[in-house]
Amino acid sequence: MRTRIKEVIEQGTGAALCSFSGWVRSVRSSKEVCFIVLNDGSTLDGIQVVAASSLPDFGNFCRMGTGTALTVTGALVASPASGQKWEIAAHSIEIIGASDDSYPLQKKRHTFEYLRTIAHLRPRTNTFGAVFRLRSRLAQAVHRFFSEQNFLYVHTPIITASDCEGAGELFRVSTLDAADPPVLDGQPDFSQDFFGRKTGLTVSGQLEGELFAQAFGDIYTFGPTFRAENSNTARHASEFWMIEPEMAFANLADDADLAEKFIRYLCRFALEECAEDMAFFDTHIENGLIERIRGVADADFVRMEYADAIERLQRSGVTFTYPVEWGLDLQTEHERYITEQIVGGPTFIINYPKDIKAFYMRQNDDGRTVAAMDLLVPKVGEIIGGSQREERLDRLELRMAEMGIAREPLWWYLDSRRWGSCPHAGFGLGFERLVMYLSGIENIRDVIPFPRTPRHCEF
Ligand code: 4AD
Ligand code: MG
């Protein structure tokens, strides 16, 4: 049985002989001894293996390439070298899979851009090891948080017939012959398609999540989300993961409270449970990261009216690329200015103009805004989007009519307002944006294992 390097580093000596398996990061040798740094992915640093020249095949070990897969049996001993507590005195070493000079991850530091072209190998680097360990632990933390809060986890569908956000960004799911589809009135006839209707990949699990909230009270979804939006930015992916809680008998303030508690929990979790990787990010990716995250874990998040945000942007005297005016959506440059310069920390912007938000948001009494909230954070901008939902059937139907949204395909959504409708609210947290925020990594392509972006779908 293979022992994880992380376990022996945490538990120290005790066991007699252990067997370790991993990949060689570096080899340094002299006539008498060969030092091998072995990494098995369980920790950042891996462990140093000391092979004495008395071992059979000693010469082969000295010539091993970076990237070789090895199994080492040996004893964990206190290391005389500085910077490491333990090392392995090898009793035997077996080369499992050789590697050579053509292995693309040799010692030198590579750029993020280059590493994206070898996304199949980059998990074997320190940076991506840290990113994907953090990502994995955070996913587990998300479930832990909601489980502690007694939320029900619901798997909403990935194939859907409704465009929740109404932005027309659905990837089509179809088995029709693209070259020669059946045609009706000059249009492809989707009634002959696999599902007998036009379908796509979900842009959000919210609408189905609302149905479950109206049965279980508090629920969340956490799953893949797809958007065919042609934005080639550092924060947009065509496939990403979203966490969407939904609470019955809750309003916008409750929604913001939950989001704040959730983000603070995740910050604390990263600092406490991923300390080694966070220290790496602090040193190599963003100096001061740990201080920043600690600040967020303890801070009260500011809540600012959209109208107030517009006024303060206008008063800032800064020339932005995009116009700032009541009624227009905030662009990343505005969002970052608010959270970085005006507030200096996480900020909820609340009560947006209804015309820039989705049909399902609850209409405020002023007749021109909806009970929406976006959480903005330094470096990333929008990390969460949420709202209180319109629970009044007549108001919802009116708004759908105004926006030209057909009622018939959403009959089930409207039904939820017909019987036992109640105030409810929820939000969506982009999981990649969270990982970016907590690691300091600036491009979304570098926090998702195999990124999908416009014109790019390798692997
Ligand atoms: O603001 P959005 O579009 O909100 C919704 O989808 C709601 N249905 C959520 C809800 O109320 N249940 O998306 C929510 C979050 C954004 O704040 C952002 O973090 C992330 O999802 N997001 C993306 N992340 C990566 N790439 C994209 N293309 C993203 N689009 C949205
Ligand atoms: Mg949004």
Side-chain angles (χ1 to χ4, degrees):
M1 252 278 278
R2 146 173 113 84
T3 305
R4 300 280 196 296
I5 292 171
K6 180 180 164 60
E7 289 160 22
V8 296
I9 288 177
E10 278 168 7
Q11 289 154 22
T13 47
L17 278 189
C18 296
S19 172
F20 304 90
S21 296
W23 295 267
V24 172
R25 283 293 175 82
S26 69
V27 180
R28 204 157 43 83
S29 59
S30 68
K31 265 205 189 104
E32 295 80 39
V33 66
C34 172
F35 297 104
I36 303 159
V37 175
L38 190 72
N39 189 299
D40 68 357
S42 64
T43 63
L44 186 67
D45 288 331
I47 200 158
Q48 173 162 282
V49 176
V50 184
S53 58
S54 52
L55 285 178
D57 289 337
F58 176 74
N60 285 347
F61 307 145
C62 301
R63 283 190 297 275
M64 269 181 326
T66 305
T68 300
L70 277 193
T71 292
V72 177
T73 304
L76 192 73
V77 296
S79 175
S82 69
Q84 59 194 34
K85 209 163 157 203
W86 307 107
E87 61 185 27
I88 300 167
H91 286 227
S92 71
I93 298 181
E94 189 185 350
I95 295 180
I96 308 292
S99 179
D100 60 24
D101 292 352
S102 62
Y103 180 57
L105 296 173
Q106 300 295 335
K107 267 226 161 139
K108 80 186 218 357
R109 240 190 124 98
H110 300 285
T111 63
F112 280 107
E113 288 77 11
Y114 170 69
L115 289 169
R116 265 172 232 148
T117 68
I118 50 167
H120 57 307
L121 297 172
R122 66 179 184 170
R124 299 194 206 173
T125 63
N126 281 343
T127 302
F128 287 93
V131 167
F132 293 123
R133 271 188 302 274
L134 176 68
R135 186 178 166 117
S136 165
R137 296 306 312 280
L138 283 173
Q140 291 161 344
V142 166
H143 290 299
R144 202 164 96 180
F145 174 83
F146 285 116
S147 164
E148 286 170 13
Q149 307 286 321
N150 288 313
F151 277 53
L152 180 111
Y153 177 32
V154 52
H155 295 120
T156 49
I158 288 172
I159 299 177
T160 173
S162 53
D163 177 2
C164 167
E165 294 306 301
E169 290 165 349
L170 248 65
F171 282 102
R172 184 82 42 80
V173 171
S174 173
T175 53
L176 292 182
D177 181 354
D180 184 25
V183 173
L184 186 70
D185 299 334
Q187 299 279 338
D189 180 10
F190 290 106
S191 71
Q192 294 187 47
D193 205 343
F194 190 89
F195 295 105
R197 62 195 302 167
K198 203 166 162 177
T199 52
L201 298 176
T202 184
V203 297
S204 162
Q206 178 195 322
L207 301 188
E208 294 90 349
E210 284 185 51
L211 306 177
F212 264 57
Q214 286 169 272
F216 297 94
D218 299 322
I219 66 96
Y220 72 107
T221 71
F222 182 7
T225 309
F226 307 87
R227 295 200 183 173
E229 86 195 285
N230 202 357
S231 8
N232 236 316
T233 78
R235 349 170 291 144
H236 288 91
S238 314
E239 176 179 311
F240 61 99
W241 284 63
M242 186 152 55
I243 299 134
E244 294 182 277
E246 190 74 31
M247 295 179 289
F249 310 106
N251 61 22
L252 189 66
D254 301 321
D255 204 25
D257 286 346
L258 179 72
E260 182 171 338
K261 194 170 175 185
F262 183 38
I263 295 291
R264 290 220 298 251
Y265 179 94
L266 295 169
C267 288
R268 242 175 255 135
F269 178 93
L271 292 173
E272 284 164 17
E273 311 262 335
C274 311
E276 187 190 38
D277 292 322
M278 292 301 283
F280 173 85
F281 296 131
D282 193 295
T283 311
H284 296 281
I285 304 294
E286 180 194 334
N287 284 316
L289 173 84
I290 288 182
E291 263 325 293
R292 172 165 72 77
I293 303 297
R294 196 169 287 137
V296 174
D298 299 331
D300 282 332
F301 295 8
V302 166
R303 295 171 197 205
M304 190 189 291
E305 293 280 332
Y306 165 87
D308 191 19
I310 292 293
E311 242 183 73
R312 293 174 77 161
L313 286 170
Q314 286 171 337
R315 268 194 277 120
S316 70
V318 177
T319 320
F320 295 105
T321 313
Y322 292 91
V324 178
E325 203 180 296
W326 198 98
L328 298 182
D329 209 356
L330 297 174
Q331 304 296 325
T332 306
E333 55 170 351
H334 310 137
E335 294 175 343
R336 289 191 58 174
Y337 188 84
I338 293 167
T339 170
E340 290 168 15
Q341 308 299 323
I342 299 180
V343 175
T347 311
F348 287 104
I349 306 293
I350 57 173
N351 297 325
Y352 283 76
K354 65 177 184 195
D355 290 334
I356 55 171
K357 290 292 184 188
F359 75 94
Y360 53 70
M361 295 191 182
R362 192 175 199 279
Q363 298 156 64
N364 288 326
D365 293 341
D366 63 11
R368 45 182 220 153
T369 61
V370 284
M373 64 169 202
D374 277 5
L375 177 63
L376 315 181
V377 293
K379 292 199 66 167
V380 175
E382 179 192 336
I383 193 168
I384 280 178
S387 63
Q388 186 174 336
R389 322 304 188 187
E390 184 55 81
E391 85 284 12
R392 299 162 296 188
L393 181 62
D394 54 339
R395 303 295 294 266
L396 182 60
E397 286 185 321
L398 217 60
R399 187 71 191 132
M400 287 171 67
E402 276 171 16
M403 294 176 74
I405 295 170
R407 281 161 43 175
E408 191 277 320
L410 287 172
W411 62 273
W412 44 272
Y413 189 71
L414 293 168
D415 263 5
S416 70
R417 273 64 175 168
R418 225 178 289 281
W419 302 297
S421 186
C422 67
H424 60 289
F427 64 81
L429 168 66
F431 188 53
E432 284 72 21
R433 298 213 184 150
L434 173 77
V435 180
M436 290 167 74
Y437 182 59
L438 292 178
S439 63
I441 299 275
E442 292 187 342
N443 196 307
I444 197 165
R445 293 163 181 78
D446 300 325
V447 297
I448 188 162
F450 301 100
R452 275 88 181 82
T453 50
R455 315 200 62 75
H456 185 90
C457 188
E458 196 79 50
F459 308 100

